[in-house]
Amino acid sequence: MQETHLAIASIPIQQWGALYDEKEALCTGTIFQELNKPFFAAEIEKKSLNEAKPKSEEQRKREEMLSKIMEVSFVLDDLTLYLDTHCQDSQAMDLYQKKSQERKDLKQQFAAAFYPLTRDCIMDCKKDKAFCWQEGPMPWEGACV
């Protein structure tokens, strides 16, 4: 019996190229501009869930800081995927180290201003030498909206 090949997959190796800024990368779903292949079959209107609710200055600042942490974290996640297949790329590694430090600093700033987000930040919250998970509101209390 003769063996027949129906198809041969060819996957091009991703190259380092132009990057989106952090905010646009999070909205797009990739930091790499060349990987953005939008699907236009259905346009979804972007709406904030809390547009009607007035926000306190503290809540606005908390949301702004959390958004920045999410953006930097997304960049780190995408860089991790890239570095899995391009471990010798020094430009990507430099950016990864820079963003890792930036994320650490942002989490420490958030812990000092509000409450710890991770175990790494427990000792960075307002009370000195205290185990302070209880400092922040629970997600269902509106802190993470």
Side-chain angles (χ1 to χ4, degrees), residues 68-129:
K68 185 65 180 166
I69 291 168
M70 283 191 315
E71 291 165 7
V72 173
S73 296
F74 179 80
V75 170
L76 281 169
D77 289 343
D78 225 15
L79 282 171
T80 299
L81 295 172
Y82 177 81
L83 286 164
D84 281 345
T85 56
H86 299 78
C87 57
Q88 300 298 322
D89 190 328
S90 61
Q91 192 175 6
M93 196 60 201
D94 290 345
L95 183 58
Y96 184 88
Q97 290 173 347
K98 177 184 168 207
K99 293 298 176 183
S100 291
Q101 185 61 49
E102 183 179 345
R103 182 173 184 266
K104 181 180 178 182
D105 294 344
L106 286 168
K107 289 190 315 180
Q108 288 175 343
Q109 290 169 16
F110 189 90
F114 301 107
Y115 47 85
L117 292 174
T118 64
R119 287 179 290 211
D120 302 334
C121 301
I122 287 177
M123 300 309 282
D124 296 326
C125 59
K126 293 177 185 176
K127 292 183 178 180
D128 292 347
K129 307 280 185 192

